[in-house]
Amino acid sequence: MPVDPVFAADLANDLSAVDYVRLLHLFRQDVTQLSEAISRAAAAADEAGFRRAAHGLAGAAGAVGAQELEAACRTVMAPGHINEELAASAERIAALAAATLADIATALDRAAGR
Amino acid sequence: MSEEAPGRVLIIEDQQAQAELARLFIAGLGYEARIASSAAQAHDVALEWRPDGILLDIELPDYNGLELLSRLRAAGVDAVVVVVTASASMELAKQAIRAGAEDYVVKPYNRDRLGVTLRNALEKRTLSRTRRALESALDDTKTRLEAAKAQLGSTGYADFVGSSPKMRAVYDTLQGVAASKASVFITGESGTGKELAAEALHKMSPRARRTFVPLNCGAIPRDLLESEVFGHIKGAFTGATTDRVGAAKLSDGGTLFLDEIGEMPLEMQVKLLRFVQTGTFSPVGSSKLEKVDVRFVCATNRDPLLEIEAGRFREDLYYRLYVVPLELPPLRDRSEDVLLLARHFLAQFGQEERKAFTGFSPEAELMLLAYPWPGNVRQLQNVVRNIVVLNSGPVVEAGMIPAPVNRAGATPPARLAPPVPAPAPEPAPVAKLAPAPVPVQEPPAPHGVIVPAPEPEPAPAPAATLRVDPEQEILPLAEMERRMVLAALMRTGNDIPRAASLLEVNPSTIYRKMLQWRKDGLIPAETRR
């Protein structure tokens, strides 16, 4: 499951409804921008840019309990990735980001209905 | 009930969602929160806003959190720091703890976890501040106790030995100025204890836990002095194979003692002046300014004003450093401390040399007292060490006293004040002048038993109202002087300093005269103070 349901429930509990929704929106915006940045860096073989974006995405994913996405980002942050691996990693991250965004959308719908 | 937040927390986090989450949690816990998204921004906010706590992400876009932490500490930011880390960078979190962070929290965290970590860290900070305040109060109490001890007639102060009025004045100054950061300018002849005074100032100051760095400006070659004071970087000059930290940096937070400052070359004085004025300096070969917090204590055995007049010492530097003057008296001006010091050194060196010395014989004491000690305490120290090394004790006899001290009684020392007047050849003019009302005593008994004076001490009368008794027995002036001295001794219970005070002479004058009278058989050998 892209987003840890226990963590997500904790988060919803710890924050007011307004703050929770604001955070999810912020996260959705971050994930979209950062996964695009990762793809661009991989295409340009920009290893430093790739790592920087992966670091940002890992942080954002950690904030909402998107553990798989966070773990994938941290794995690729280590220096020394060759170009082919960058491209493959970017694809994997993009897929996980998409699944996470879907979970977030569900969470937002649920929040809107509660 | 106050509406004020329980504390300020600065969140240093470049990732927007993570920063916002932390802000929401922290605000929910009742703290006031601000976010900085780069190390440079965090540095500025921390200096300006002075947070109580900092939530620090290690990986930042400009430079890493460890370096930021070190820069914040160097800039005096004492907020507690909680490092936020992903499990992958736990090693970095541990490094941060070693660098001064209080704790760390691993992502992802919930509000309770963050709250507990933050509260614990802030509580530690409060406890640490309370401890520092208590320590400071304790230090103050200790300082006051020291002062009280000194005033209660102890025979010394800090590492000084001596209870003469001149030394008490020195102790008072040391006591008064120790806690301040004011520069102290010590003057005094060689061997009077200038470095001891500087060290005492440091030990009694709030800087005592930091370093005391003594630097003898007269003992360092001119070319090396700048490097000794400010340090140098590798390659600054031939032979500078590594970076070297100088006295200025070493004494950061402590005290820099510049001994023989009068020997410092003028070009170096300009650099020192800038350092004293700004607290900043550049190591030789470096253009980078370093800032330190140093207390300056300087010393010279020259007259600084004469040095300024002669163009050897910069006037502007002098006025920067000459904030609190401290003059250490020569030993000849505090002769009442000679025996205290001699006994102190005898005990110290006897212990070091494992020799059982118990004290000085009366003759030996008189020799020590009659000598003017041009080399001051250091000379006395050396003489006593010489005695201890070459002899076995238990009592230091006159024969053990080395030259030139053992010749002290033979000729009146030129530097002793006041000079003893020569006996008048004829008695008549004495009677014609207006002499003081001399209570003539019976001559000493054959075995030196001094008969106590029956009359109370006469109050000194102004010269204009002196009464002259023409029938008074006329004696040689030297004899009258001897009788006066012995009378003063009887009246004061053989307390030489008090007798000297009554006679308005230096105590050493009495000691010297007694030594001579004893040699001449005019008073018995056993008569002593």
Side-chain angles (χ1 to χ4, degrees), chain B residues 98-180:
Chain B
R98 285 195 288 273
E102 198 64 51
D103 205 347
Y104 61 87
V105 61
V106 181
K107 295 177 195 172
Y109 50 80
N110 60 24
R111 191 181 62 181
D112 290 346
R113 174 81 187 98
L114 180 65
V116 167
T117 308
L118 207 51
R119 260 196 304 273
N120 284 346
L122 287 166
E123 215 161 85
K124 270 190 193 172
R125 179 179 191 252
T126 309
L127 286 174
S128 146
R129 279 184 169 175
T130 310
R131 194 190 64 208
R132 277 205 299 273
L134 287 171
E135 278 172 357
S136 166
L138 189 63
D139 284 349
D140 285 351
T141 309
K142 278 183 186 165
T143 309
R144 281 199 297 274
L145 273 173
E146 284 284 338
K149 265 169 66 184
Q151 283 164 1
L152 282 171
S154 67
T155 56
Y157 182 85
D159 289 331
F160 281 99
V161 175
S163 57
S164 59
K166 290 203 170 180
M167 286 311 287
R168 288 198 180 283
V170 168
Y171 305 155
D172 284 347
T173 306
L174 288 172
Q175 184 68 48
V177 78
S180 144

Side-chain angles (χ1 to χ4, degrees), chain A residues 38-47 83 86:
Chain A
I38 286 175
S39 301
R40 277 199 306 275
D46 171 11
E47 201 173 322
N83 293 343
L86 286 188

Side-chain angles (χ1 to χ4, degrees), chain A residues 14 22 30 56 59 62-63 74, chain B residues 15 17-18 20-21 59 86 108 111:
Chain A
D14 284 344
R22 193 149 58 86
D30 277 359
R74 297 214 181 276
Chain B
Q15 208 293 310
Q18 195 77 54
E20 182 58 16
L21 177 65
E59 288 183 53
R111 191 181 62 181

Side-chain angles (χ1 to χ4, degrees), chain A residues 7 10-11 14-15 19 22-23 26-27 29-30 34 55-60 62-63 65 67 70 74 77, chain B residues 13-18 20-21 23-25 57-61 85-89 107-112:
Chain A
F7 186 85
D10 271 358
L11 201 59
D14 284 344
L15 299 174
D19 287 340
R22 193 149 58 86
L23 187 75
L26 196 58
F27 173 74
Q29 183 187 316
D30 277 359
L34 288 165
H55 164 72
L57 189 53
Q67 291 173 344
E70 185 192 359
R74 297 214 181 276
M77 277 160 60
Chain B
E13 170 66 66
D14 62 325
Q15 208 293 310
Q16 224 188 143
Q18 195 77 54
E20 182 58 16
L21 177 65
R23 193 192 67 76
L24 291 171
F25 281 167
D57 186 24
I58 296 286
E59 288 183 53
L60 296 167
T85 178
S87 52
S89 51
K107 295 177 195 172
Y109 50 80
N110 60 24
R111 191 181 62 181
D112 290 346

Side-chain angles (χ1 to χ4, degrees), chain B residues 437-476:
Chain B
V438 179
V440 177
Q441 307 272 329
E442 288 298 315
H447 295 291
V449 179
I450 299 169
V451 182
E455 295 162 13
E457 199 171 294
T465 60
L466 284 180
R467 284 176 294 119
V468 178
D469 178 6
E471 300 306 314
Q472 186 178 316
E473 184 188 5
I474 304 299
L475 291 168

Side-chain angles (χ1 to χ4, degrees), chain B residues 239-256:
Chain B
T241 52
T242 54
D243 288 0
R244 186 179 189 280
V245 174
K249 182 79 176 173
L250 287 173
S251 55
D252 190 9
T255 306
L256 176 58

Side-chain angles (χ1 to χ4, degrees), chain B residues 139-430:
Chain B
D139 284 349
D140 285 351
T141 309
K142 278 183 186 165
T143 309
R144 281 199 297 274
L145 273 173
E146 284 284 338
K149 265 169 66 184
Q151 283 164 1
L152 282 171
S154 67
T155 56
Y157 182 85
D159 289 331
F160 281 99
V161 175
S163 57
S164 59
K166 290 203 170 180
M167 286 311 287
R168 288 198 180 283
V170 168
Y171 305 155
D172 284 347
T173 306
L174 288 172
Q175 184 68 48
V177 78
S180 144
K181 199 200 161 185
S183 299
V184 178
F185 203 106
I186 306 172
T187 52
E189 293 177 10
S190 273
T192 47
K194 294 186 288 295
E195 182 162 349
L196 204 62
E199 270 194 273
L201 274 173
H202 174 74
K203 283 181 187 168
M204 293 187 298
S205 75
R207 299 167 170 264
R209 290 191 186 88
R210 305 299 286 271
T211 320
F212 173 77
V213 182
L215 199 70
N216 188 329
C217 305
I220 299 164
R222 299 168 75 93
D223 298 345
L224 295 181
L225 190 55
E226 185 178 355
S227 162
E228 284 291 325
V229 176
F230 299 130
H232 63 247
I233 60 167
K234 183 180 173 182
F237 48 82
T238 311
T241 52
T242 54
D243 288 0
R244 186 179 189 280
V245 174
K249 182 79 176 173
L250 287 173
S251 55
D252 190 9
T255 306
L256 176 58
F257 174 50
L258 297 168
D259 199 2
E260 294 188 37
I261 192 160
E263 308 295 325
M264 186 177 276
L266 279 168
E267 62 272 20
M268 183 61 198
Q269 290 180 27
V270 180
K271 292 170 181 166
L272 180 65
L273 174 65
R274 197 178 314 124
F275 176 38
V276 175
Q277 281 172 331
T278 63
T280 59
F281 67 92
S282 301
V284 179
S286 166
S287 56
K288 191 179 156 196
L289 271 184
E290 294 190 32
K291 187 159 182 66
V292 287
D293 168 27
V294 169
R295 189 210 196 149
F296 295 93
V297 179
C298 306
T300 180
N301 56 10
R302 298 184 182 185
D303 181 337
L305 291 174
L306 287 179
E307 292 301 295
I308 291 170
E309 217 167 274
R312 289 187 293 266
F313 199 75
R314 288 183 66 98
E315 193 173 5
D316 44 9
L317 178 61
Y318 169 74
Y319 285 114
R320 275 278 165 186
L321 294 172
Y322 197 84
V323 179
V324 179
L326 177 66
E327 191 184 349
L328 294 177
L331 189 51
R332 64 179 173 281
D333 285 353
R334 52 178 187 119
S335 52
E336 54 269 61
D337 289 337
V338 168
L339 291 184
L340 272 179
L341 282 158
R343 288 172 192 143
H344 169 79
F345 292 137
L346 187 69
Q348 181 190 337
F349 299 142
Q351 196 173 21
E352 280 177 25
E353 301 288 334
R354 297 173 184 278
K355 291 187 179 178
F357 278 96
T358 55
F360 294 84
S361 74
E363 288 292 331
E365 285 189 350
L366 285 174
M367 274 182 182
L368 297 178
L369 289 165
Y371 188 68
W373 300 107
N376 294 299
V377 180
R378 190 178 296 128
Q379 186 189 13
L380 173 59
Q381 190 177 19
N382 291 342
V383 164
V384 178
R385 188 185 278 281
N386 171 303
I387 291 167
V388 172
V389 169
L390 297 179
N391 300 281
S392 310
V395 174
V396 178
E397 301 292 348
M400 299 177 188
I401 307 278
V405 184
N406 60 3
R407 293 198 291 267
T411 49
R415 297 174 82 170
L416 276 178
V420 183
E426 290 176 22
V430 176

